[in-house]
Amino acid sequence: MLATLAFALVLQGPPQVTSRIATAHEWVGRLSPQLGDSVWPGFRPDTIPVLYVVPGQGTLLLGWRGALPAGFLPIDGLAGSGWQSSSDPGAASTGTQLDGRPTAQVVVNDSVGLASLMGLTFHEAFHVFETVLKKQGRKFGRGENAFLVTSYPVFDPQNESAMALEGRILEAADRASSKERKRTLARQFLAVRESRHRALDASLSEFEQLAELNEGLAEYTLVRSVQLAARQRNFPDRLGATQLASDKRMGLHKLTDDVTRSIRLRYYATGPALGMLLDVLAGPAWKTRLIEHDQTLQDALADASGYRSQELALRRQAESTFVITKLRTAADSQVGRLRTIRKAQVDSILATPGVQLVVAVEGRYLGLCGIDPQNLLQVESGILLHTRWLRVCAGDALQATFNTPVVQDQNAQVVRAVVGADSSVKVSEAQGGVRVESPLVTLSAPKAEVSRDGRVLTVRIRP
């Protein structure tokens, strides 16, 4: 009651909105340690600060540890809370950064109920959790290429009808009372999904699966947390929880019906439906396996439903017949030797006498405007060796053509190459820009910093 009154005084807004924020955040804090891994292993939304944006009124910060960020006024009697009497009109519910700290952001409007607001806090906090667990080369936390919504085949009746069928199957699976019926429907879903994906461009089928991992799993935590909260004897919005479950089921039934909304929102429906189906078929262990085995929800469901049991049996038979353990040992040796050879190749190239040109780009992407794929080698993750020719660019900030081997570090946005004897390399600086010319390179950067350390000439492109 004290917290609610304090919020009301600070927000100076409608009591119902104030009360919902206070109660929703209180329930997040209550359920998070109590439920443990029931929502997701290791996920503790009560440890993640939350920005509640109230349009037209201000921004409420809850769960902050330490000194408040600049611009936030402390609320008497409420540790870890702060108020800012302004709100970004373009703010969206998302995972964000505040003072360099991962933070959930939730936009609160008059229509959102208590159950949904609590669930939405779980959803956005899960995005923060995903970001923390994100690893190079792994699917979990990577997110989908959202730009692909611009080319998704929304005018293809075959794809649209098959996706509508997927929604109806998932709705039926949600309604099914027996585990066996759910397993049968899961297999039907996978058959329809995989058939539809074979007709799609590979980038689009990947987009769908990564969208389900990204927004779909976050929405699963919303649905799951509300479901578990409603089982608590004193949860004050059981009606809202029931309505949310009903709305999710209806969303599956009408998966492709609402043409006024982005197709990306479809995965807010299929993602949690797949997660809830996996809860029944595989128990909570599917969540750990999904991350450990770098799976999509589709992969996890195929395992849990036995959809690929024949494939698995045949693969194991082949592995036994042809002794996969020996083949793996040989492959490990070959890969180790390959790494050694490639590293030695790079070291040899960069040790060639002459000026070593280093081009580093900060605050923007160092693009490849021309490559020779026949002469491009991987050295290790993120390190490429272009053995004869390369053209790199960074918009209007950099244009460079190399007619010599180049080592490219994609992680650091740096390229290195030996570009000829000192006498053959000409460096021209004018009006804050630089031009480098030799028989082996032509580089132009209108704004750049140039430095020289021994044989190493560095051109640094700053934001």
Side-chain angles (χ1 to χ4, degrees):
M1 183 64 178
L2 176 62
T4 301
L5 282 174
F7 289 155
L9 288 171
V10 172
L11 288 174
Q12 297 178 349
Q16 64 271 24
V17 174
T18 300
S19 177
R20 284 203 303 275
I21 294 174
T23 308
H25 196 264
E26 179 187 349
W27 273 93
V28 171
R30 185 186 305 184
L31 290 174
S32 182
Q34 180 180 338
L35 297 178
D37 294 346
S38 297
V39 175
W40 195 272
F43 176 43
R44 287 288 302 271
D46 60 317
T47 65
I48 297 170
V50 185
L51 284 167
Y52 290 98
V53 179
V54 186
Q57 296 182 46
T59 304
L60 179 65
L61 174 61
L62 297 178
W64 190 264
R65 297 183 181 181
L68 289 173
F72 284 87
L73 299 176
I75 303 172
D76 291 341
L78 295 173
S81 64
W83 171 251
Q84 190 176 68
S85 57
S86 64
S87 61
D88 179 0
S93 293
T94 186
T96 186
Q97 291 269 335
L98 181 63
D99 260 15
R101 188 180 304 181
T103 304
Q105 179 170 286
V106 177
V107 176
V108 184
N109 55 57
D110 291 341
S111 62
V112 65
L114 169 63
S116 294
L117 182 55
M118 185 205 73
L120 188 55
T121 303
F122 269 83
H123 177 118
E124 302 308 342
F126 191 76
H127 281 315
V128 174
F129 175 75
E130 286 178 306
T131 300
V132 171
L133 263 63
K134 180 180 178 181
K135 292 184 179 179
Q136 180 73 26
R138 308 288 286 182
K139 297 182 183 72
F140 186 85
R142 189 170 96 198
E144 73 282 8
N145 179 2
F147 284 101
L148 287 171
V149 299
T150 64
S151 57
Y152 192 87
V154 293
F155 300 108
D156 181 351
Q158 181 175 335
N159 184 70
E160 289 295 287
S161 60
M163 179 168 272
L165 177 57
E166 291 174 21
R168 298 295 175 89
I169 295 170
L170 290 175
E171 179 200 10
D174 185 53
R175 294 183 185 276
S177 57
S178 75
K179 186 174 180 178
E180 193 53 44
R181 176 60 177 160
K182 287 180 182 288
R183 180 177 288 109
T184 297
L185 288 165
R187 292 172 177 172
Q188 289 180 10
F189 167 83
L190 289 163
V192 173
R193 166 66 69 88
E194 291 190 354
S195 175
R196 183 173 67 82
H197 275 186
R198 281 194 293 272
L200 278 179
D201 184 273
S203 64
L204 293 172
S205 60
E206 181 187 56
F207 160 76
E208 292 196 342
Q209 294 180 77
L210 292 180
E212 284 173 341
L213 271 183
N214 180 27
E215 296 295 354
L217 276 186
E219 194 71 358
Y220 163 81
T221 67
L222 182 158
V223 174
R224 179 67 171 155
S225 64
V226 171
Q227 179 192 67
L228 294 172
R231 296 176 185 174
Q232 304 291 313
R233 185 174 304 174
N234 58 341
F235 185 66
D237 192 18
R238 282 198 177 87
L239 182 61
T242 301
Q243 185 61 50
L244 188 145
S246 176
D247 289 346
K248 283 297 177 187
R249 188 175 286 172
M250 184 57 67
L252 293 169
H253 186 82
K254 297 183 175 182
L255 188 59
T256 61
D257 286 8
D258 191 348
V259 296
T260 67
R261 308 177 76 196
S262 168
I263 59 99
R264 187 170 178 266
L265 294 170
R266 296 173 179 180
Y267 312 107
Y268 285 69
T270 59
L274 292 172
M276 301 300 282
L277 187 52
L278 280 162
D279 282 341
V280 175
L281 297 181
W286 71 266
K287 300 169 186 176
T288 303
R289 285 198 299 269
L290 179 134
I291 296 177
E292 289 179 349
H293 297 169
D294 196 29
Q295 292 182 322
T296 64
L297 284 167
Q298 199 169 312
D299 295 330
L301 188 62
D303 286 350
S305 65
Y307 179 71
R308 297 199 178 105
S309 57
Q310 184 179 16
E311 173 191 325
L312 179 62
L314 290 170
R315 189 176 74 239
R316 285 176 175 168
Q317 182 181 357
E319 289 174 349
S320 174
T321 300
F322 298 100
V323 195
I324 187 62
T325 53
K326 290 185 178 180
L327 295 175
R328 177 55 191 266
T329 299
D332 286 342
S333 176
Q334 290 167 357
V335 168
R337 189 170 77 252
L338 178 61
R339 283 199 174 98
T340 301
I341 290 171
R342 292 282 165 83
K343 185 178 184 305
Q345 194 172 359
V346 166
D347 291 343
S348 175
I349 286 169
L350 294 181
T352 302
V355 176
Q356 183 181 132
L357 176 62
V358 178
V359 182
V361 174
E362 299 178 6
R364 63 172 68 204
Y365 180 67
L366 179 60
L368 298 179
C369 291
I371 64 170
D372 179 355
Q374 297 290 89
N375 290 280
L376 194 161
L377 304 174
Q378 293 186 49
V379 179
E380 56 184 85
S381 178
I383 308 295
L384 302 177
L385 173 59
H386 304 265
T387 61
R388 60 167 291 274
W389 179 84
L390 174 67
R391 182 177 295 142
V392 295
C393 54
D396 58 2
L398 171 70
Q399 295 287 332
T401 300
F402 295 85
N403 292 296
T404 188
V406 178
V407 179
Q408 178 189 3
D409 186 334
Q410 294 178 306
N411 304 316
Q413 301 290 295
V414 171
V415 295
R416 292 179 172 85
V418 177
V419 294
D422 214 326
S423 59
S424 70
V425 179
K426 180 181 178 182
V427 180
S428 306
E429 296 182 68
Q431 298 179 338
V434 64
R435 185 172 179 83
V436 180
E437 294 179 280
S438 85
L440 301 179
V441 67
T442 301
L443 179 150
S444 177
K447 292 183 179 180
E449 295 178 4
V450 183
S451 61
R452 182 77 183 256
D453 183 7
R455 67 187 288 257
V456 178
L457 173 66
T458 301
V459 176
R460 191 172 301 278
I461 315 297
R462 296 198 183 276

